[in-house]
Amino acid sequence: MSSLRENLSPTSPSAEGSSEVALQQPRATDVRIKLLVGERLFTTTEQTLVAESAYFTSLLSGRWASTLDDGSYFIDSDPSLFEHILRYLRHSVCPIFYDQVRGHDFGLYLALQAEASYFGIPRLHDWLKNKRYFEAIHLSYAIEMDEDYSSKNFTSNSGTAVEFYPTWDAQKVYVCPRGIPVHRGDPGRCGRQCKEERGDDEIKYDDETVLRMVVVRKQVVVRPEVCMD
């Protein structure tokens, strides 16, 4: 067929210069391939495309003329999805589409699964179909009750999200028998005179409503080995 492949086909060298010409000819698997996917042009190698894809193995088999005038191949697919297909074919690493706030992008997983089926990439298709991305992301939670959150600085790295949940709670607050404000809440501040004032009476406590903060730290743990299984 008249195509990019024919343009790159080696000529028949003379016996005298055959070794030199053979060294200059690229191997078929190293030939650069241009793909027009929708309105975007991608450039890669034949080796990358045929390694796992039955679709490209058939397309590049040379059995039919399928190139455009410029030697590129037109692929009727969504270019925004195809970039993930090509990234997978280049590195054999299954993708994770996860956001700290929104979680997994299930719509993108489903769309890419359909593309993997169309391009005949069984490993990627099965990985997505079996929802292996759930195994690739683990969440670790740490929960604490903070009573004096207003005077603290909370920091975390980019892999940890910190969430705050205010809650009201009741607590008993010590009451000084002499009514001294600075003694309130701390019986250790009362001295001999306070104890004499209380005499044999029981220590008094007031029920007081206080604002507490529940601090939840969520850490995202990525397991890259799952993406390469």
Side-chain angles (χ1 to χ4, degrees):
M1 67 177 178
S2 175
S3 66
L4 178 63
R5 283 173 154 277
E6 290 183 353
N7 294 333
L8 293 175
S9 297
T11 57
S12 299
S14 63
E16 182 178 358
S18 60
S19 297
E20 180 180 353
V21 174
L23 289 174
Q24 293 175 351
Q25 293 296 334
R27 293 178 299 164
T29 54
D30 292 334
V31 171
R32 285 196 299 178
I33 303 294
K34 293 183 179 180
L35 304 173
L36 182 61
V37 184
E39 69 281 2
R40 287 178 57 185
L41 187 66
F42 294 83
T43 302
T44 184
T45 66
E46 182 177 339
Q47 181 181 19
T48 295
L49 294 173
V50 304
E52 293 189 51
S53 171
Y55 175 94
F56 285 112
T57 299
S58 176
L59 179 68
L60 302 178
S61 64
R63 287 178 290 180
W64 51 78
S66 55
T67 58
L68 303 175
D69 292 340
D70 63 353
S72 63
Y73 292 83
F74 176 72
I75 308 297
D76 189 13
S77 180
D78 184 340
S80 63
L81 290 174
F82 186 76
E83 66 182 36
H84 298 297
I85 291 291
L86 185 56
R87 185 178 297 117
Y88 169 81
L89 291 175
R90 283 171 171 162
H91 306 292
S92 293
V93 178
C94 294
I96 302 173
F97 307 116
Y98 182 84
D99 181 87
Q100 280 270 34
V101 177
R102 294 184 293 270
H104 286 284
D105 190 337
F106 297 107
L108 185 51
Y109 286 134
L110 289 173
L112 193 60
Q113 179 184 328
E115 292 294 285
S117 176
Y118 177 77
F119 288 110
I121 310 174
R123 176 175 175 266
L124 177 59
H125 174 270
D126 293 346
W127 196 89
L128 293 167
K129 180 181 179 181
N130 295 326
K131 299 179 175 60
R132 295 291 308 281
Y133 40 83
F134 285 138
E135 303 172 34
I137 296 290
H138 279 191
L139 301 179
S140 175
Y141 291 90
I143 302 174
E144 60 181 289
M145 178 75 76
D146 197 282
E147 300 181 8
D148 189 23
Y149 68 93
S150 60
S151 62
K152 292 184 178 180
N153 293 321
F154 292 89
T155 59
S156 65
N157 58 41
S158 58
T160 303
V162 182
E163 299 175 351
F164 302 92
Y165 300 93
T167 182
W168 292 100
D169 193 12
Q171 68 175 8
K172 292 187 176 299
V173 179
Y174 170 77
V175 178
C176 172
R178 296 170 63 200
I180 300 177
V182 295
H183 292 180
R184 181 177 175 82
D186 186 0
R189 293 177 180 176
C190 285
R192 177 177 57 82
Q193 291 180 319
C194 295
K195 294 178 180 179
E196 290 178 352
E197 179 71 21
R198 184 175 67 244
D200 296 332
D201 295 338
E202 294 183 355
I203 297 177
K204 291 184 177 180
Y205 294 90
D206 281 344
D207 290 329
E208 191 172 274
T209 301
V210 294
L211 178 64
R212 303 185 190 278
M213 190 67 68
V214 178
V215 183
V216 179
R217 299 178 185 271
K218 180 176 69 174
Q219 183 178 15
V220 178
V221 180
V222 180
R223 301 175 60 202
E225 67 275 9
V226 176
C227 301
M228 296 181 283
D229 282 349

